[in-house]
Amino acid sequence: MPNCMYSDFEDCGFIYSKTKRVRHIYQYTYDPDNIIRCIEKSQRRKHRNRAVVRFNEDYCNNADNIYWLLRNETYLPGALRERTIFEPKERRLKIPPYNPDRIIDQCLVSVVEPILMETYIAHTYSCIKGRGIHGCLTDIVAAMRRDPEGTRFALVMDVHKYYDNIDHQTLKRKYRKKIGDPKMLRLMDLTTDCNGEETGEPIGRLTSQLYGNFNLTDLEHFLLEVMHVHYIYVYMDNILILGSDKARLHEVFTRTAMFLATHEHLELNPNWQVFPVDSRDIDHVGFRINHNDVRLRKGTLYRFYKKLRRTRDRYDLQCENDIKHAYPSEYGWLVHCSPQHKEFIINQIIKENGRHHQTA
């Protein structure tokens, strides 16, 4: 293992060595075609939203206003609206106004995301097109089948209140190593500092997803290139590492905690675990996984059953195809489970639905 001290991280030749900063990209944010695409993207499945309806009532003038806000660099973030959700645990959302904030976020992300994604490792999944939850699950299952001995043990850890504790100065320093356009940096700084504090990115803002992924790339490269971790799967702040040696995974946890504290001003939650995969399933991205089986997480399955009970009067479910058409989203989760688990759940649903319609 290379002898690399944490204070020498920037000299270790990671993601920023020999890379040129990207310049002259700001003008693409206010390109009319980009603005139209971003408006359409921001309105997907939201056409009944009151803010969207108001925007579309004067579409041309509103789109023109966004163009000039970006071109003249006069955009300032609006006030964030707070909302609390419980899915499945309590989360405090801070939602920006639709017009112009959420559209301008789309314009920024459409230009910057491909540049920042160059620093991501292959096994970063959250909010990335073509990866996501099911991509993560597929890669984990493939690794466990390909190398059962090298994936005997799992290290599961997550960052304590990650979004609330992202350090703005650290984040700004990182994206300045990739982007050298002063106008784009000004816009990125505005969205980074939109909560009016020195730490924290608001859950509910599109740019927060981008910054959240990008902020952990240094840690990911440290684990890959210094710690030589082969099986690492990162879904935002949830990190799963597989290995053949329990003691080695304990060392990885210690070095990860030190790295986060030293370089990111972050800390890991105390509920981290190292355990044998086949005696205790891996609970990750909504599934329970071991070398022989993939099952839905209990909470995911409970929400599915709850929805079934709430809507069972609408459907007469007699076969798998009926479930597929009545509950396409939930069925999409089921098809990624092992065949025996999928068959068991489908049979339970059909049986329960049949009993209900007989007694109704």
Side-chain angles (χ1 to χ4, degrees), residues 71-89:
R71 178 161 183 170
N72 295 334
E73 298 181 76
T74 53
Y75 164 72
L76 293 174
L80 300 172
R81 173 173 59 87
E82 293 197 16
R83 178 187 169 197
T84 303
I85 61 171
F86 301 89
E87 294 182 1
K89 61 182 180 181

Side-chain angles (χ1 to χ4, degrees), residues 12-39:
C12 290
F14 285 169
I15 59 178
Y16 300 119
S17 63
K18 299 180 182 179
T19 59
K20 293 183 179 180
R21 293 191 298 167
V22 180
R23 304 176 187 273
H24 310 300
I25 56 173
Y26 182 74
Q27 66 267 27
Y28 297 114
T29 62
Y30 59 82
D31 178 88
D33 289 338
N34 185 53
I35 290 175
I36 298 303
R37 280 195 302 269
C38 291
I39 291 172

Side-chain angles (χ1 to χ4, degrees), residues 96-192:
Y98 173 73
N99 181 25
D101 296 64
R102 277 186 268 170
I103 298 172
I104 286 178
D105 282 358
Q106 290 279 2
C107 295
L108 185 157
V109 169
S110 68
V111 177
V112 170
E113 185 174 41
I115 299 166
L116 299 188
M117 275 189 66
E118 293 176 0
T119 66
Y120 295 0
I121 66 171
H123 290 166
T124 298
Y125 297 94
S126 178
C127 307
I128 300 175
K129 188 175 181 179
R131 301 188 192 181
I133 287 173
H134 297 138
C136 182
L137 174 69
T138 300
D139 288 348
I140 293 170
V141 171
M144 293 174 74
R145 289 176 179 170
R146 184 175 62 249
D147 185 10
E149 186 62 29
T151 57
R152 287 173 55 218
F153 295 96
L155 165 61
V156 178
M157 52 187 171
D158 64 299
V159 181
H160 177 66
K161 292 188 177 179
Y162 177 52
Y163 278 107
D164 292 339
N165 292 308
I166 292 176
D167 182 72
H168 291 182
Q169 292 307 313
T170 301
L171 176 60
K172 290 176 183 178
R173 193 160 55 246
K174 287 180 183 180
Y175 59 62
R176 274 167 170 74
K177 293 176 182 177
K178 285 294 294 177
I179 295 172
D181 186 330
K183 294 182 178 181
M184 181 61 80
L185 290 172
R186 176 188 174 276
L187 181 59
M188 294 175 73
D189 288 349
L190 284 173
T191 56
T192 298

Side-chain angles (χ1 to χ4, degrees), residues 163-326:
Y163 278 107
D164 292 339
N165 292 308
I166 292 176
D167 182 72
H168 291 182
Q169 292 307 313
T170 301
L171 176 60
K172 290 176 183 178
R173 193 160 55 246
K174 287 180 183 180
Y175 59 62
R176 274 167 170 74
K177 293 176 182 177
K178 285 294 294 177
I179 295 172
D181 186 330
K183 294 182 178 181
M184 181 61 80
L185 290 172
R186 176 188 174 276
L187 181 59
M188 294 175 73
D189 288 349
L190 284 173
T191 56
T192 298
D193 296 331
C194 66
N195 64 350
E197 301 175 12
E198 296 182 358
T199 60
E201 291 298 320
I203 300 174
R205 185 152 202 156
L206 183 63
T207 52
S208 299
Q209 299 175 2
L210 175 68
Y211 297 152
N213 267 336
F214 176 69
N215 193 51
L216 286 182
T217 51
D218 285 357
L219 172 64
E220 294 162 5
H221 283 270
F222 170 75
L223 291 169
L224 279 174
E225 298 169 25
V226 175
M227 297 300 295
H228 298 290
V229 172
H230 295 296
Y231 300 116
I232 173 174
Y233 306 93
V234 182
Y235 196 87
M236 197 52 73
D237 62 321
N238 295 290
I239 303 169
L240 167 66
I241 296 175
L242 302 175
S244 59
D245 183 12
K246 198 171 183 179
R248 167 73 171 147
L249 291 179
H250 278 278
E251 180 192 1
V252 170
F253 166 76
T254 302
R255 298 284 295 269
T256 300
M258 292 176 65
F259 182 92
L260 285 173
T262 304
H263 290 280
E264 311 291 352
H265 308 292
L266 297 168
E267 60 182 35
L268 294 171
N269 274 321
N271 61 347
W272 65 277
Q273 299 172 337
V274 176
F275 55 88
V277 168
D278 289 332
S279 61
R280 268 186 60 197
D281 298 339
I282 300 168
D283 188 348
H284 197 59
V285 292
F287 295 88
R288 297 190 68 85
I289 313 158
N290 60 42
H291 285 97
N292 303 309
D293 202 11
V294 177
R295 304 188 305 279
L296 284 178
R297 180 187 285 167
K298 186 177 180 181
T300 308
L301 194 55
Y302 172 77
R303 287 193 296 276
F304 186 14
Y305 284 148
K306 188 176 179 181
K307 183 176 181 179
L308 282 166
R309 287 193 297 271
R310 194 171 63 245
T311 60
R312 58 189 176 184
D313 290 330
R314 301 180 194 172
Y315 309 108
D316 183 13
L317 306 175
Q318 298 184 8
C319 64
E320 180 178 336
N321 208 42
D322 292 340
I323 298 172
K324 177 180 178 180
H325 288 94

